[in-house]
Amino acid sequence: MARARPAMTDPFSPSLVLVPVDGSEESLQAVEYATTIADEYDASVHALYVVSEEVSRAIDSGAVDDASVAADTEAFLEAVTELAADAGVSLSTSMAYGFSTRQLSRHPGSVVLDTAEELGVDFVVVPREPVSGDPDEVLAKAAEYVLLYASQPVLSV
Protein backbone atom coordinates (compact mmCIF):
# COMPACT_ATOMS: atom_id res chain seq x y z
CA MET A 1 0.00 0.00 0.00
CA ALA A 2 1.44 3.34 -1.05
CA ARG A 3 1.78 6.04 1.53
CA ALA A 4 -0.02 9.28 0.95
CA ARG A 5 2.43 12.12 0.72
CA PRO A 6 1.58 15.17 2.79
CA ALA A 7 0.57 18.20 0.78
CA MET A 8 3.55 20.41 0.07
CA THR A 9 3.17 23.95 1.24
CA ASP A 10 4.92 26.73 -0.57
CA PRO A 11 7.82 27.83 1.63
CA PHE A 12 7.79 31.15 -0.21
CA SER A 13 4.64 33.03 0.67
CA PRO A 14 5.27 36.76 1.01
CA SER A 15 2.62 39.03 2.46
CA LEU A 16 4.45 42.33 1.81
CA VAL A 17 6.76 43.10 -1.12
CA LEU A 18 9.03 46.17 -1.02
CA VAL A 19 9.99 47.89 -4.23
CA PRO A 20 12.28 50.92 -4.03
CA VAL A 21 11.74 53.46 -6.81
CA ASP A 22 13.59 56.57 -7.94
CA GLY A 23 11.58 57.98 -10.82
CA SER A 24 13.41 55.95 -13.48
CA GLU A 25 11.94 53.62 -16.10
CA GLU A 26 13.90 50.78 -14.48
CA SER A 27 12.11 51.33 -11.20
CA LEU A 28 8.73 51.27 -12.97
CA GLN A 29 9.72 47.91 -14.43
CA ALA A 30 10.58 46.73 -10.91
CA VAL A 31 7.08 47.80 -9.80
CA GLU A 32 5.62 45.60 -12.54
CA TYR A 33 7.58 42.61 -11.19
CA ALA A 34 6.63 43.43 -7.59
CA THR A 35 2.93 43.69 -8.41
CA THR A 36 3.05 40.42 -10.37
CA ILE A 37 4.62 38.64 -7.39
CA ALA A 38 2.17 40.26 -4.99
CA ASP A 39 -0.76 39.26 -7.17
CA GLU A 40 0.48 35.64 -7.34
CA TYR A 41 0.79 35.37 -3.54
CA ASP A 42 -2.10 37.65 -2.54
CA ALA A 43 0.40 40.07 -1.00
CA SER A 44 0.62 43.84 -0.73
CA VAL A 45 3.28 46.11 -2.21
CA HIS A 46 5.09 49.00 -0.56
CA ALA A 47 6.81 51.43 -2.93
CA LEU A 48 9.64 53.40 -1.31
CA TYR A 49 10.64 56.50 -3.26
CA VAL A 50 14.36 57.07 -2.61
CA VAL A 51 15.52 60.66 -3.18
CA SER A 52 18.90 60.97 -4.93
CA GLU A 53 22.06 62.50 -3.49
CA GLU A 54 21.91 65.43 -5.90
CA VAL A 55 18.33 66.27 -4.97
CA SER A 56 19.03 65.78 -1.24
CA ARG A 57 21.95 68.22 -1.40
CA ALA A 58 19.92 70.72 -3.42
CA ILE A 59 17.12 70.63 -0.84
CA ASP A 60 19.62 70.98 2.04
CA SER A 61 21.26 73.99 0.40
CA GLY A 62 17.94 75.60 -0.54
CA ALA A 63 18.72 75.42 -4.27
CA VAL A 64 15.57 73.36 -4.87
CA ASP A 65 12.16 73.87 -3.36
CA ASP A 66 11.14 70.72 -1.50
CA ALA A 67 7.53 71.33 -2.58
CA SER A 68 8.53 70.90 -6.24
CA VAL A 69 10.41 67.69 -5.37
CA ALA A 70 7.33 66.44 -3.54
CA ALA A 71 5.15 67.26 -6.56
CA ASP A 72 7.49 65.36 -8.92
CA THR A 73 7.58 62.42 -6.53
CA GLU A 74 3.82 62.41 -6.20
CA ALA A 75 3.40 62.42 -9.99
CA PHE A 76 5.70 59.41 -10.31
CA LEU A 77 3.95 57.59 -7.47
CA GLU A 78 0.65 58.10 -9.31
CA ALA A 79 2.07 55.98 -12.14
CA VAL A 80 3.11 53.38 -9.56
CA THR A 81 -0.40 53.47 -8.07
CA GLU A 82 -1.91 52.88 -11.51
CA LEU A 83 0.31 49.83 -12.06
CA ALA A 84 -0.74 48.38 -8.70
CA ALA A 85 -4.41 49.11 -9.39
CA ASP A 86 -4.17 47.45 -12.81
CA ALA A 87 -2.73 44.35 -11.10
CA GLY A 88 -5.40 44.46 -8.38
CA VAL A 89 -2.76 44.75 -5.67
CA SER A 90 -2.90 46.78 -2.46
CA LEU A 91 -0.22 49.49 -2.41
CA SER A 92 1.31 51.73 0.23
CA THR A 93 4.04 54.30 -0.37
CA SER A 94 6.66 56.29 1.46
CA MET A 95 9.59 58.55 0.62
CA ALA A 96 13.11 58.70 2.07
CA TYR A 97 16.34 60.53 1.43
CA GLY A 98 18.90 58.12 0.01
CA PHE A 99 21.79 60.27 1.21
CA SER A 100 22.46 62.72 3.98
CA THR A 101 25.03 65.47 4.36
CA ARG A 102 24.78 65.01 8.13
CA GLN A 103 24.68 61.22 8.45
CA LEU A 104 27.56 59.55 6.58
CA SER A 105 26.19 56.03 6.95
CA ARG A 106 22.99 56.92 5.07
CA HIS A 107 23.12 55.17 1.71
CA PRO A 108 20.31 54.16 -0.66
CA GLY A 109 20.94 50.50 0.12
CA SER A 110 20.78 51.01 3.87
CA VAL A 111 17.61 53.08 3.48
CA VAL A 112 15.97 50.22 1.55
CA LEU A 113 17.04 47.60 4.10
CA ASP A 114 16.04 49.76 7.08
CA THR A 115 12.60 50.26 5.54
CA ALA A 116 12.30 46.52 4.87
CA GLU A 117 13.02 45.78 8.53
CA GLU A 118 10.70 48.51 9.85
CA LEU A 119 7.79 47.29 7.73
CA GLY A 120 8.41 43.56 8.19
CA VAL A 121 8.82 43.02 4.46
CA ASP A 122 9.01 39.42 3.19
CA PHE A 123 10.46 40.07 -0.27
CA VAL A 124 12.32 42.89 -2.04
CA VAL A 125 12.31 43.70 -5.76
CA VAL A 126 15.09 46.13 -6.64
CA PRO A 127 16.06 47.58 -10.02
CA ARG A 128 19.64 46.69 -10.90
CA GLU A 129 22.10 49.08 -12.44
CA PRO A 130 20.68 50.39 -15.71
CA VAL A 131 22.61 49.98 -18.92
CA SER A 132 22.59 53.77 -19.36
CA GLY A 133 24.75 54.28 -16.27
CA ASP A 134 22.91 57.55 -15.57
CA PRO A 135 24.33 58.85 -12.26
CA ASP A 136 20.93 60.31 -11.34
CA GLU A 137 19.44 56.84 -11.04
CA VAL A 138 19.92 56.43 -7.31
CA LEU A 139 18.81 52.82 -7.04
CA ALA A 140 21.66 51.67 -9.24
CA LYS A 141 23.82 52.43 -6.20
CA ALA A 142 21.56 50.40 -3.91
CA ALA A 143 21.04 47.16 -5.85
CA GLU A 144 24.35 45.48 -5.04
CA TYR A 145 24.16 46.54 -1.38
CA VAL A 146 20.64 45.15 -1.03
CA LEU A 147 21.62 41.90 -2.75
CA LEU A 148 24.58 41.47 -0.39
CA TYR A 149 22.96 42.38 2.92
CA ALA A 150 19.20 41.75 2.75
CA SER A 151 17.78 39.18 5.13
CA GLN A 152 14.75 38.82 2.83
CA PRO A 153 14.72 37.14 -0.58
CA VAL A 154 15.60 39.70 -3.28
CA LEU A 155 14.78 39.84 -6.97
CA SER A 156 17.01 42.19 -8.95
CA VAL A 157 15.41 43.23 -12.25
PDB file of all heavy atoms in Angstrom, residues 135-151:
ATOM      1  N   PRO A 135      24.023  58.676 -13.680  1.00  0.00           N
ATOM      2  CA  PRO A 135      24.328  58.853 -12.264  1.00  0.00           C
ATOM      3  C   PRO A 135      23.146  59.342 -11.437  1.00  0.00           C
ATOM      4  O   PRO A 135      23.167  59.259 -10.225  1.00  0.00           O
ATOM      5  CB  PRO A 135      25.453  59.891 -12.267  1.00  0.00           C
ATOM      6  CG  PRO A 135      25.305  60.612 -13.557  1.00  0.00           C
ATOM      7  CD  PRO A 135      24.733  59.615 -14.534  1.00  0.00           C
ATOM      8  N   ASP A 136      22.103  59.847 -12.068  1.00  0.00           N
ATOM      9  CA  ASP A 136      20.928  60.311 -11.335  1.00  0.00           C
ATOM     10  C   ASP A 136      20.025  59.167 -10.895  1.00  0.00           C
ATOM     11  O   ASP A 136      19.104  59.362 -10.119  1.00  0.00           O
ATOM     12  CB  ASP A 136      20.117  61.297 -12.189  1.00  0.00           C
ATOM     13  CG  ASP A 136      20.857  62.611 -12.404  1.00  0.00           C
ATOM     14  OD1 ASP A 136      21.701  62.953 -11.552  1.00  0.00           O
ATOM     15  OD2 ASP A 136      20.596  63.271 -13.411  1.00  0.00           O
ATOM     16  N   GLU A 137      20.269  57.982 -11.401  1.00  0.00           N
ATOM     17  CA  GLU A 137      19.437  56.841 -11.036  1.00  0.00           C
ATOM     18  C   GLU A 137      19.968  56.248  -9.735  1.00  0.00           C
ATOM     19  O   GLU A 137      20.849  55.406  -9.719  1.00  0.00           O
ATOM     20  CB  GLU A 137      19.373  55.845 -12.183  1.00  0.00           C
ATOM     21  CG  GLU A 137      18.591  56.445 -13.348  1.00  0.00           C
ATOM     22  CD  GLU A 137      18.728  55.682 -14.636  1.00  0.00           C
ATOM     23  OE1 GLU A 137      19.708  54.950 -14.811  1.00  0.00           O
ATOM     24  OE2 GLU A 137      17.842  55.842 -15.476  1.00  0.00           O
ATOM     25  N   VAL A 138      19.419  56.709  -8.654  1.00  0.00           N
ATOM     26  CA  VAL A 138      19.922  56.430  -7.311  1.00  0.00           C
ATOM     27  C   VAL A 138      19.885  54.957  -6.946  1.00  0.00           C
ATOM     28  O   VAL A 138      20.753  54.461  -6.237  1.00  0.00           O
ATOM     29  CB  VAL A 138      19.163  57.276  -6.265  1.00  0.00           C
ATOM     30  CG1 VAL A 138      17.709  56.906  -6.198  1.00  0.00           C
ATOM     31  CG2 VAL A 138      19.785  57.169  -4.908  1.00  0.00           C
ATOM     32  N   LEU A 139      18.924  54.220  -7.439  1.00  0.00           N
ATOM     33  CA  LEU A 139      18.808  52.822  -7.041  1.00  0.00           C
ATOM     34  C   LEU A 139      19.880  51.937  -7.652  1.00  0.00           C
ATOM     35  O   LEU A 139      20.130  50.843  -7.166  1.00  0.00           O
ATOM     36  CB  LEU A 139      17.417  52.292  -7.347  1.00  0.00           C
ATOM     37  CG  LEU A 139      16.336  52.961  -6.504  1.00  0.00           C
ATOM     38  CD1 LEU A 139      14.971  52.441  -6.872  1.00  0.00           C
ATOM     39  CD2 LEU A 139      16.603  52.779  -5.022  1.00  0.00           C
ATOM     40  N   ALA A 140      20.530  52.406  -8.693  1.00  0.00           N
ATOM     41  CA  ALA A 140      21.661  51.666  -9.237  1.00  0.00           C
ATOM     42  C   ALA A 140      22.729  51.496  -8.166  1.00  0.00           C
ATOM     43  O   ALA A 140      23.416  50.485  -8.103  1.00  0.00           O
ATOM     44  CB  ALA A 140      22.241  52.392 -10.448  1.00  0.00           C
ATOM     45  N   LYS A 141      22.834  52.478  -7.275  1.00  0.00           N
ATOM     46  CA  LYS A 141      23.818  52.430  -6.197  1.00  0.00           C
ATOM     47  C   LYS A 141      23.374  51.520  -5.053  1.00  0.00           C
ATOM     48  O   LYS A 141      24.170  51.126  -4.223  1.00  0.00           O
ATOM     49  CB  LYS A 141      24.074  53.839  -5.668  1.00  0.00           C
ATOM     50  CG  LYS A 141      24.646  54.764  -6.724  1.00  0.00           C
ATOM     51  CD  LYS A 141      24.753  56.179  -6.232  1.00  0.00           C
ATOM     52  CE  LYS A 141      25.250  57.082  -7.348  1.00  0.00           C
ATOM     53  NZ  LYS A 141      25.271  58.472  -6.961  1.00  0.00           N
ATOM     54  N   ALA A 142      22.097  51.195  -5.014  1.00  0.00           N
ATOM     55  CA  ALA A 142      21.559  50.403  -3.910  1.00  0.00           C
ATOM     56  C   ALA A 142      21.466  48.917  -4.215  1.00  0.00           C
ATOM     57  O   ALA A 142      21.519  48.094  -3.301  1.00  0.00           O
ATOM     58  CB  ALA A 142      20.171  50.915  -3.544  1.00  0.00           C
ATOM     59  N   ALA A 143      21.335  48.547  -5.481  1.00  0.00           N
ATOM     60  CA  ALA A 143      21.044  47.163  -5.845  1.00  0.00           C
ATOM     61  C   ALA A 143      22.069  46.171  -5.287  1.00  0.00           C
ATOM     62  O   ALA A 143      21.696  45.178  -4.654  1.00  0.00           O
ATOM     63  CB  ALA A 143      20.932  47.016  -7.356  1.00  0.00           C
ATOM     64  N   GLU A 144      23.341  46.418  -5.510  1.00  0.00           N
ATOM     65  CA  GLU A 144      24.355  45.479  -5.038  1.00  0.00           C
ATOM     66  C   GLU A 144      24.344  45.384  -3.514  1.00  0.00           C
ATOM     67  O   GLU A 144      24.437  44.299  -2.944  1.00  0.00           O
ATOM     68  CB  GLU A 144      25.745  45.888  -5.523  1.00  0.00           C
ATOM     69  CG  GLU A 144      26.805  44.882  -5.136  1.00  0.00           C
ATOM     70  CD  GLU A 144      28.169  45.211  -5.712  1.00  0.00           C
ATOM     71  OE1 GLU A 144      28.306  46.185  -6.463  1.00  0.00           O
ATOM     72  OE2 GLU A 144      29.104  44.474  -5.371  1.00  0.00           O
ATOM     73  N   TYR A 145      24.205  46.511  -2.843  1.00  0.00           N
ATOM     74  CA  TYR A 145      24.164  46.539  -1.380  1.00  0.00           C
ATOM     75  C   TYR A 145      22.999  45.700  -0.854  1.00  0.00           C
ATOM     76  O   TYR A 145      23.156  44.899   0.062  1.00  0.00           O
ATOM     77  CB  TYR A 145      24.055  47.990  -0.915  1.00  0.00           C
ATOM     78  CG  TYR A 145      24.168  48.182   0.576  1.00  0.00           C
ATOM     79  CD1 TYR A 145      25.396  48.434   1.170  1.00  0.00           C
ATOM     80  CD2 TYR A 145      23.037  48.129   1.388  1.00  0.00           C
ATOM     81  CE1 TYR A 145      25.505  48.621   2.539  1.00  0.00           C
ATOM     82  CE2 TYR A 145      23.133  48.317   2.756  1.00  0.00           C
ATOM     83  CZ  TYR A 145      24.376  48.557   3.323  1.00  0.00           C
ATOM     84  OH  TYR A 145      24.466  48.739   4.684  1.00  0.00           O
ATOM     85  N   VAL A 146      21.833  45.891  -1.448  1.00  0.00           N
ATOM     86  CA  VAL A 146      20.641  45.154  -1.025  1.00  0.00           C
ATOM     87  C   VAL A 146      20.829  43.663  -1.282  1.00  0.00           C
ATOM     88  O   VAL A 146      20.519  42.830  -0.432  1.00  0.00           O
ATOM     89  CB  VAL A 146      19.374  45.691  -1.729  1.00  0.00           C
ATOM     90  CG1 VAL A 146      18.172  44.788  -1.481  1.00  0.00           C
ATOM     91  CG2 VAL A 146      19.083  47.115  -1.268  1.00  0.00           C
ATOM     92  N   LEU A 147      21.380  43.315  -2.435  1.00  0.00           N
ATOM     93  CA  LEU A 147      21.618  41.900  -2.748  1.00  0.00           C
ATOM     94  C   LEU A 147      22.581  41.259  -1.755  1.00  0.00           C
ATOM     95  O   LEU A 147      22.418  40.100  -1.373  1.00  0.00           O
ATOM     96  CB  LEU A 147      22.173  41.757  -4.169  1.00  0.00           C
ATOM     97  CG  LEU A 147      21.148  41.933  -5.284  1.00  0.00           C
ATOM     98  CD1 LEU A 147      21.843  42.105  -6.623  1.00  0.00           C
ATOM     99  CD2 LEU A 147      20.189  40.761  -5.331  1.00  0.00           C
ATOM    100  N   LEU A 148      23.583  42.009  -1.318  1.00  0.00           N
ATOM    101  CA  LEU A 148      24.581  41.472  -0.389  1.00  0.00           C
ATOM    102  C   LEU A 148      24.071  41.343   1.046  1.00  0.00           C
ATOM    103  O   LEU A 148      24.417  40.389   1.742  1.00  0.00           O
ATOM    104  CB  LEU A 148      25.829  42.349  -0.389  1.00  0.00           C
ATOM    105  CG  LEU A 148      26.726  42.248  -1.616  1.00  0.00           C
ATOM    106  CD1 LEU A 148      27.807  43.321  -1.576  1.00  0.00           C
ATOM    107  CD2 LEU A 148      27.345  40.863  -1.703  1.00  0.00           C
ATOM    108  N   TYR A 149      23.264  42.300   1.502  1.00  0.00           N
ATOM    109  CA  TYR A 149      22.961  42.381   2.921  1.00  0.00           C
ATOM    110  C   TYR A 149      21.503  42.139   3.325  1.00  0.00           C
ATOM    111  O   TYR A 149      21.206  42.107   4.515  1.00  0.00           O
ATOM    112  CB  TYR A 149      23.414  43.739   3.462  1.00  0.00           C
ATOM    113  CG  TYR A 149      24.898  43.934   3.316  1.00  0.00           C
ATOM    114  CD1 TYR A 149      25.406  44.854   2.404  1.00  0.00           C
ATOM    115  CD2 TYR A 149      25.786  43.177   4.058  1.00  0.00           C
ATOM    116  CE1 TYR A 149      26.776  45.017   2.258  1.00  0.00           C
ATOM    117  CE2 TYR A 149      27.160  43.342   3.918  1.00  0.00           C
ATOM    118  CZ  TYR A 149      27.646  44.254   3.015  1.00  0.00           C
ATOM    119  OH  TYR A 149      29.004  44.404   2.867  1.00  0.00           O
ATOM    120  N   ALA A 150      20.616  41.947   2.405  1.00  0.00           N
ATOM    121  CA  ALA A 150      19.202  41.751   2.751  1.00  0.00           C
ATOM    122  C   ALA A 150      19.002  40.418   3.464  1.00  0.00           C
ATOM    123  O   ALA A 150      19.598  39.407   3.103  1.00  0.00           O
ATOM    124  CB  ALA A 150      18.330  41.812   1.510  1.00  0.00           C
ATOM    125  N   SER A 151      18.140  40.435   4.464  1.00  0.00           N
ATOM    126  CA  SER A 151      17.780  39.183   5.134  1.00  0.00           C
ATOM    127  C   SER A 151      16.549  38.563   4.459  1.00  0.00           C
ATOM    128  O   SER A 151      16.217  37.416   4.733  1.00  0.00           O
ATOM    129  CB  SER A 151      17.522  39.421   6.626  1.00  0.00           C
ATOM    130  OG  SER A 151      16.489  40.360   6.802  1.00  0.00           O
TER     131      SER A 151
END
